[in-house]
Structures are given as C-alpha cells and as structure tokens.
Amino acid sequence: MVQVNELIRVRDLHKIYRMGDVEVPALCGINLDIQRGEFVAIMGASGSGKSTFMNILGCLDRPTTGAYYLDGQEVGSLSQDAWANIRNRKIGFVFQGFNLLPRTSALENVELPMMYNGLHSGGRHQRALEALSSVGLGERVHHTPNQLSGGQQQRVAIARALVNHPALVLADEPTGNLDTKTSAEIMELFQDLNLKEGLTIVLVTHEADVAAYAQRQIHFRDGLVISDQAVRPRVQRLQG
Amino acid sequence: MWLMTLRIALRALKRNKLRSFLTMLGIIIGVGAVIAMVAIGEGAKALVRAQIATLGTNVLVILPGTATQGGVRTGSGGVRTLVDSDARAIMDEVPSVALASPTIRRTEQVVAGNLNWATVIQGVAPEIQQIRDWQVGEEGRFINQADVDNAGKVALIGQTVANNIFGNEDPIDGVIRIRKIPFRVIGVLGAKGQTGHGTDQDDVVMIPYTTMQKRIMGITHVQGIVVSAVSAEKTQEAQVQITALLRQRHRIPPDQDDDFFVRNLSDIAEAASNSARVMAILLGSIASVSLFVGGIGIMNIMLVSVTERTREIGIRMAVGARKKDIMLQFIVEAVVMAAIGGALGILLGISSSSVINRMMQWPVLIRADIIGVALLVSGGVGVFFGFYPAQKAANLDPIDALRYE
Ligand SMILES: Nc1ncnc2c1ncn2[C@@H]1O[C@H](COP(=O)(O)OP(=O)(O)O)[C@@H](O)[C@H]1O
Ligand SMILES: [Mg+2]
C-alpha cells in the first residue's frame, strides 16, 4: 500500500500517441507526487504534454506505460466503468471552455454529476444549491449558460466540479477564456477553496500571474518535468 | 434515475419539435393505418358472425350442382336436380335432420288496390317457419300442409311489404296480386330487421312452394332445400348423411360428382375467416414495412442527434456517466419517440376508422389488444432502431467528445 497522505503518485509515466505509423511522444517519463491539500500549477509551452498529463490524472486516458496511483489505488489499468465511478466521486473537472450543457439551468448543470451516483432528487437539489452558493452564485440558479457571463459560467462549472465533494479538482486552463479581472476572481475562488476546504487542485496555465495563486509550480517541457518548486508553504489543515 | 432519463429524453425531443414530429410520422402513419384497417377487418368479421347468428348455426342449405349430361356440364343453378320429394326424404330418412323445406325465390311486382311494390316471392313449406324462426302476427296463421297440397293462393307478407302496399289498413284477408293472380293474405310476418349485409329481411312475400311451382314459375323442381339439423353439433353428420341419401336418390354412380351442394353455415364462416386471415397477413406486411421505414427514420435522426450532442456526451462522461448510462439515455429517447408516434398513430387510427364508419357506413371494431400490441411494437421499434445510435454514443471517447466543436 502506498502512503495515505499522497493523493497522486505518478511513476515513470509515458504516453505515446500513434498517428498512422508516426509515433508522437507526449509524456516521456513523469515522476510526481502530489499531497492532499496541495494547490499545484502546471506550466509549460504549448505541446509540452500538460493536457495529456491532466487527462491521465482525470482517468480519461490511459498511460502507454508507467503507474498512476490515486488515493493509494493503481487506477491506470482499471475498467472504463471503474473510471467513470472515480471521475464521478473523486474528481471534479473545470475546463477552459466551461463545458456546461446548453439550454440547461445552472442548477441542473450542477445536479448533473449526482445523476450518476444514485442520489435521490431532493438531496440533489439541496446539494446543488449549496455548491452554487459556495461559489457565489446563489441568485442565478435558474439562468441558462447563455444568460450568464463567462466568469459566472466558470463558477457554475466549479460548483459542478465540487458538488460530489471530490478529493481532486483538475482545471485545464480555466482562465483561458476569461479577461484579467474575471481570471483573478476565479483564481481567488480556487485559492479560497484550497485554503478553507483543503481541496487538492491541479491547474494548468500559461500565465505566470495565474500560476502565482498556487503553492507549487511545475514546469513541463517536451513531456518531461523540468522544474518543480514550492512558491508558498502548503496550507496546514486538519484531515477529514 | 429512470424518471430523470425520461425527462431528459422528453426535453431533447421538445427542443426539436418539428424534427421529432416528422421523425415520428412514419410510425404514426404506419400504426394509424394498421389500427384503421384492423378495425375495418374486425368489423367485417363481426358482421359475418352476426349474419350467421341470424341464420342459425344448425341450418344447412342444399343447392343444385353441376350435372354432367352426356359430357356437357351445365352451370350451377341451371340444373333441375332437386325436387320436393328430396326435401321430404331428407326430413323422413336422415336421423340428424329435424326439418326440411324446399325453397323457390323470384322477384315479382306485388299489387294491392292501386299500390304496387317489387319484392321477393318465396315459395316455402310450413317447416320453414320453425327452421328460420318466423313469427306470425296474432290474427294470422302460417302456411299449412293443406295450402301446400292444393297449391293454395294464400300469402304471408313481411312487415315492409305490409307497410308499402297496405299502409295503415289491416292486411289480413286482403288481396294481393302477383302476375295478376289474386292471393289472400293470411298473416303478417314478425319483423326481423336487416341482415348483417343490410338486406331487409321483412321485404318478402311467402307462398306455398307448390303454388310457386305451378301458378307462377311453371316448374316441377325446386331451387333449394333448407334444412335444420337436430343440433348445431349434428350439422357435420347431417351433411354427410344428406349427401349419401341424395346420391342414392339421384342414382349417381360412385365415380361421378355430386349434382348438388350441401352448404353448411360454418363452411361460410370458415371461408370468411380464411379471407380474414389473408387480410391479416396483408395488413401485417404493410405494418411491418411502415414500422421498418419509421424505425429507419428514428435511427437516422438519432444518429444526427448523437453527432450534434457529442460534446454533451463528453461532459456527461467526464462527470461520471458510464457507457450504459449514455446508452440508456439514447435508447430511452428513441423509445419515447417511437412510443409517442405509436400513441399518436393509435389516435389517428381510431379517429379515421370512426370517420370511415360514419361516412361509408362500414362496420368497424377497435380491439383493445391490437392497441396494446401496437404500443408494444412501436416501443420495440424504438429499442431496435435506437440501439445502434445509442451504442455509437456510448462508445465515444470522452476526450474527443469534449473537444468536439
Ligand atoms: N489525440 C492526440 N493524437 C495525437 N497527438 C496528440 C494528441 N493529443 C496530443 N497530442 C500531441 O501530444 C503532444 C502534447 O499535447 P498536449 O498534451 O495537448 O500539450 P499541451 O496541453 O501542453 O499544449 C503534442 O505534440 C500534441 O500534438
Ligand atoms: Mg493543453
């Protein structure tokens, strides 16, 4: 058994895409440990393998070789249904393009993950409302995405990511479609969730001022980790 | 979960109302046509049954058949092989036969005073009263054996004839003329109403068959013999025995065909049910073709819908939907579409068959079990044709689906 406090442990992770007879190496041996409660920013040039790495962390894609332990469990080789279950209960995703269901209210978007874990509808409602108010959207629960600003849409997406109380939130360029001011608001929200709730967050960004909200910055280049530094002490928080 | 899936499906269909409706149209028309046609077919069957019920299930009819005379076959009815003594012999010698009466029919003009009316004149024996269960009005009487023996010029008239040539007058002991021959009216037949075919059974005049033979037609044979078996169960037996007796009486050698037919009403019913079966097969194939076409329409639209909603599928997968959840969602959507189409088709079928009933006066009968089957089958069409698109959706790669523009 792997040490309990490590939420993520990645060992010699390789990912090679095959396009016809051409092999494109995207990850070339990543070793990384992320503790519970860490707020990690992954940086690097376009094509350096950040998204590929996030997809593997999110149980959306299989590594070609190497091991990935999530919460002490080797997950790289689990079945698709087991992955779906892990994505549902342990991981929350925030995307650059928000990825909300169109023509569907904020509330129902947030309820979506609970549809797949058998929670009855009364409980779903309550929890979705709580998640929305925790991201500062208590008022706009019945608005559809096209009636919300980009920042508000991203808050809905964050509420959706949080609603099943995941162990890990993965955010691939969450501020990529937002202006500077709104980016700052969203990053403050992430920081808040990390500091107050002890939420583990792994976030991909190009921008240094976005990465500055994290405690730890990891740089990728050509599928390898080239630097890994703590910029701020990790939040100390009671386990539970 | 199920309720939620159903809600999602309904919402997805509502989002594209016109498209959903057009997709359902194949199923609507298919199911509607089948319901209407089955209703008409069942109506026709019920009509035949009702007709048989009015005639009685133990009644047999003997008709003259083709007779080979020196190699020349004359057509049915053109022969004179049946005579009244055949009827008597059948009644006396065949144990499973209760009663028999010769019949001769012809349409004639009936005149009373200055009124006249064209109607069917039937020459009969007294036994016909019991065989066909005719009632006679209180003051009147039926034809008796003496009337037959001396070819009496007496007549019973049906209700319709009475109304048309006597009006409000009492027809009893009145005089009617058929081919200028005066007949004394001895009774009015009790009303029987229309047959299933719409023929008025009360538009008739009955006279002794001997009178018909000698005074009106100038013939010595009879056109048919109506027989009642002692019970409905004995009709088969009676048929066999009558055949044997008539062959013997007509001296037909064993290698020759009968010169008569014995018709059993259950034969007629069987013929009717045979044609109903052919009809059912025909309807079934129309139904399957239209449901198949409707199903292909559903499959087509579901494939379009899966492509359009690729990103939605990716999102659902990212938040924890398993393959089978996605699969279920799209199958339910296809089934809902097909079932709504089926339900609308049922409504269409019911309303168009009632319109047919009213406009064309055709009897229709809508069977509840057919409606149930129609709903089940259209649901099944949804499952069958929704399966492939649903599988396509469930097998999408979440990463590709999320990136889909
Ligand atoms: N589905 C794919 N098929 C083939 N090559 C891919 C695929 N996804 C990513 N790549 C390649 O892998 C490398 C890393 O890509 P990615 O992880 O998206 O980088 P980043 O997110 O850091 O910009 C790139 O060279 C990219 O072209
Ligand atoms: Mg990327």
Side-chain angles (χ1 to χ4, degrees), chain B residues 11 60 166 195-196 198 212 290 302 325 335 362 365 378 380 396:
Chain B
R11 192 184 306 173
L60 292 164
F166 285 104
T195 63
M212 190 77 166
S290 57
M302 290 307 295
D325 295 319
V335 169
W362 282 357
L365 189 78
S378 37
L396 283 173

Side-chain angles (χ1 to χ4, degrees), chain A residues 78-98:
Chain A
L78 290 179
S79 73
Q80 302 238 9
D81 279 0
W83 270 6
N85 200 28
I86 288 172
R87 289 197 297 265
N88 185 252
R89 287 161 201 269
K90 294 199 173 174
I91 302 171
F93 291 93
V94 180
F95 304 94
Q96 178 176 356
F98 319 133

Side-chain angles (χ1 to χ4, degrees), chain A residues 55 60-61 80-81 84 87-88 93 95 99-104 108 111-113 115-116 124 160, chain B residues 1 4 7-8 11 15 311-312 315-323 325 329 397-399 402:
Chain A
N55 287 339
L60 289 166
D61 204 0
Q80 302 238 9
D81 279 0
R87 289 197 297 265
N88 185 252
F93 291 93
F95 304 94
N99 274 336
L100 298 175
L101 295 186
R103 294 167 299 226
T104 306
E108 282 174 295
E111 283 179 352
L112 193 64
M115 226 187 104
Y116 301 109
R124 277 207 291 264
R160 182 181 66 192
Chain B
M1 177 71 204
M4 188 86 171
R7 272 228 316 270
I8 292 171
R11 192 184 306 173
R15 210 158 266 168
R311 197 180 255 268
E312 175 193 323
I315 294 168
R316 289 180 183 278
M317 286 175 162
V319 302
R322 290 155 298 177
K323 270 180 194 291
D325 295 319
Q329 180 187 334
D397 177 53
I399 300 170
L402 279 168

Side-chain angles (χ1 to χ4, degrees), chain A residues 128-140:
Chain A
L129 285 171
E130 280 166 20
L132 277 165
S133 68
S134 77
V135 298
L137 270 182
E139 326 269 77
R140 293 194 152 70

